[in-house]
């Protein structure tokens, strides 16, 4: 059985500290890949300025460094508007790359849009930042993102299943690729989980889950850490000879995801355009 490997999905440092107190005697610290955030996570802790995002990111990085005891963790921060130009994304990435604690790195979450994907090589080679393509709800978009050699592609099965989308089929097909891009193979992150059962199957499908407070609370209330550790076993996936159907509902779901994030990070984006871009 494989060892657990996951991200905490929150910007709430106090919650992670309390959670780790419950986990530290049961979970290898190296199981914690890091922390993922997004505009919604920052909004929940009332962080709505660049400085507040920066200060909180530093705290999160320090927390990951303390948990892991090394310099291999990462904290992901999303670009504050999904329609930013590639040039502006490079500026944003250069700024947030300085928000770490000199141990845990800061990574960048981007949308799966071509203009941003086109600068991923510069993001990794010039700025030296890890890239996570987020908000993906179909295998075709995931496969396109893989072709750019990004570090992670984040698929949102919790939201997909709420809309009646067969997330298992989409992730299973994306998992079956047998190629690397730019000398490395991207990994699948699965986020927005709603249930313990949902968490269990994404672990079995060899993805890297990012786990929020909703599911952690369910684990402690309805399950156990021992059961949680048992989730990392290989599922018996059926090979799919052809792609599962991709339809408009999946595109609409991704669009609604970015619409929500853009609205929540509007103050940060407005501040960014005033401070870092030229009219």
């Amino acid at each position: 059985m494989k060892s657990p490997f996951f991200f905490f999905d929150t910007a709430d440092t106090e919650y992670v500290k309390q959670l780790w107190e419950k986990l530290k005697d049961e979970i290898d610290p190296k199981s914690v890949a890091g922390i993922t955030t997004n505009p919604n996570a920052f909004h929940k802790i009332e962080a709505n300025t660049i400085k507040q995002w920066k200060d909180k990111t530093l705290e999160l990085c320090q927390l990951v460094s303390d948990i892991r005891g090394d310099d291999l963790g990462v904290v992901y921060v999303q670009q504050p508007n999904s329609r930013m130009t590639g040039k502006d994304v490079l500026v944003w990435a250069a700024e947030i790359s300085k928000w770490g604690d000199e141990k845990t790195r800061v990574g960048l979450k981007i949308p799966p849009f071509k203009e941003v994907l086109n600068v991923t090589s510069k993001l990794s080679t010039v700025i030296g930042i890890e890239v996570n393509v987020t908000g993906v709800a179909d295998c075709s978009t995931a496969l396109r993102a893989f072709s750019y050699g990004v570090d992670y592609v984040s698929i949102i099965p919790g939201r997909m299943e709420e809309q009646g989308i067969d997330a298992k089929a989409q992730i299973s097909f994306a998992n079956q690729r047998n190629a690397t891009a730019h000398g490395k193979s991207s990994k699948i992150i699965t986020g927005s989980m709603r249930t313990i059962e949902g968490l269990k199957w994404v672990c079995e499908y060899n993805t890297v889950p990012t786990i929020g407070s909703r599911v952690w609370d369910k684990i402690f209330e309805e399950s156990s850490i021992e059961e949680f550790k048992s989730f990392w076993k290989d599922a018996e996936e059926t090979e799919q000879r052809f792609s599962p159907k991709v339809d408009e509902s999946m595109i609409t779901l991704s669009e609604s995801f970015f619409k929500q994030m853009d609205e929540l990070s509007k103050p940060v984006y407005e501040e960014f355009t005033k401070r870092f871009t030229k009219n």
Side-chain angles (χ1 to χ4, degrees):
M1 186 179 297
K2 300 184 297 294
S3 298
F5 191 65
F6 59 89
F7 287 90
F8 292 120
D9 186 25
T10 180
D12 188 339
T13 52
E14 290 306 313
Y15 182 84
V16 176
K17 288 176 183 177
Q18 294 172 15
L19 182 58
W20 186 243
E21 280 298 312
K22 300 177 183 178
L23 294 174
K24 66 181 183 180
D25 293 330
E26 303 287 341
I27 299 291
D28 183 345
K30 303 303 189 285
S31 295
V32 180
I35 295 174
T36 59
T37 71
N38 60 29
N40 186 39
F42 282 125
H43 182 74
K44 286 179 178 178
I45 60 167
E46 300 182 349
N48 298 302
T49 68
I50 291 178
K51 185 180 186 305
Q52 289 171 336
W53 280 27
K54 178 180 179 179
D55 291 346
K56 185 52 64 174
T57 299
L58 176 58
E59 290 181 24
L60 294 168
C61 286
Q62 292 170 335
L63 183 53
V64 172
S65 297
D66 289 344
I67 290 172
R68 289 185 54 92
D70 62 18
D71 60 357
L72 299 179
V74 60
V75 172
Y76 277 104
V77 176
Q78 193 161 323
Q79 65 184 66
N81 185 278
S82 64
R83 299 297 177 178
M84 290 169 70
T85 65
K87 181 180 178 181
D88 284 351
V89 170
L90 290 170
V91 174
W92 175 256
E95 171 63 19
I96 68 170
S97 67
K98 300 178 287 188
W99 291 2
D101 67 343
E102 300 184 353
K103 290 184 179 180
T104 294
R105 306 175 305 284
V106 177
L108 173 67
K109 295 174 76 172
I110 64 171
F113 305 149
K114 186 176 181 180
E115 183 170 7
V116 185
L117 289 170
N118 281 341
V119 301
T120 53
S121 62
K122 289 184 178 179
L123 288 169
S124 60
T125 61
V126 178
I127 298 174
I129 197 167
E130 294 186 7
V131 178
N132 175 356
V133 179
T134 193
V136 177
D138 68 277
C139 62
S140 294
T141 301
L143 291 170
R144 181 171 78 168
F146 291 148
S147 72
Y148 285 82
V150 298
D151 296 278
Y152 287 103
V153 176
S154 288
I155 300 178
I156 49 176
R159 292 178 183 241
M160 293 166 72
E161 291 181 333
E162 286 181 336
Q163 300 301 315
I165 298 170
D166 187 350
K168 287 184 178 180
Q170 299 295 319
I171 290 175
S172 179
F173 187 75
N175 262 341
Q176 289 174 19
R177 76 196 190 286
N178 187 26
T180 59
H182 305 287
K184 64 181 180 182
S185 180
S186 308
K187 300 180 181 67
I188 295 177
I189 281 180
T190 41
S192 70
M193 305 312 303
R194 296 347 193 197
T195 64
I196 294 176
E197 183 58 35
L199 174 61
K200 180 179 180 180
W201 77 256
V202 299
C203 294
E204 292 174 349
Y205 275 49
N206 292 312
T207 71
V208 182
T210 177
I211 311 171
S213 58
R214 181 188 304 194
V215 174
W216 282 118
D217 291 346
K218 287 180 181 292
I219 289 171
F220 289 107
E221 293 169 3
E222 304 172 14
S223 184
S224 68
I225 298 302
E226 283 303 314
E227 183 181 6
F228 168 73
K229 291 190 291 184
S230 74
F231 291 170
W232 276 263
K233 59 183 179 181
D234 292 328
E236 294 183 5
E237 296 181 64
T238 302
E239 182 177 353
Q240 296 173 249
R241 298 180 66 185
F242 299 100
S243 171
K245 182 179 180 181
V246 174
D247 60 35
E248 193 64 29
S249 68
M250 301 174 192
I251 310 306
T252 300
L253 180 59
S254 284
E255 288 176 340
S256 67
F257 171 85
F258 288 111
K259 182 178 180 180
Q260 177 194 16
M261 296 300 136
D262 289 351
E263 183 61 32
L264 291 172
S265 59
K266 188 175 180 180
V268 171
Y269 180 57
E270 290 176 346
E271 183 183 354
F272 168 78
T273 58
K274 291 178 182 177
R275 290 178 51 189
F276 296 96
T277 65
K278 296 180 180 179
N279 294 328

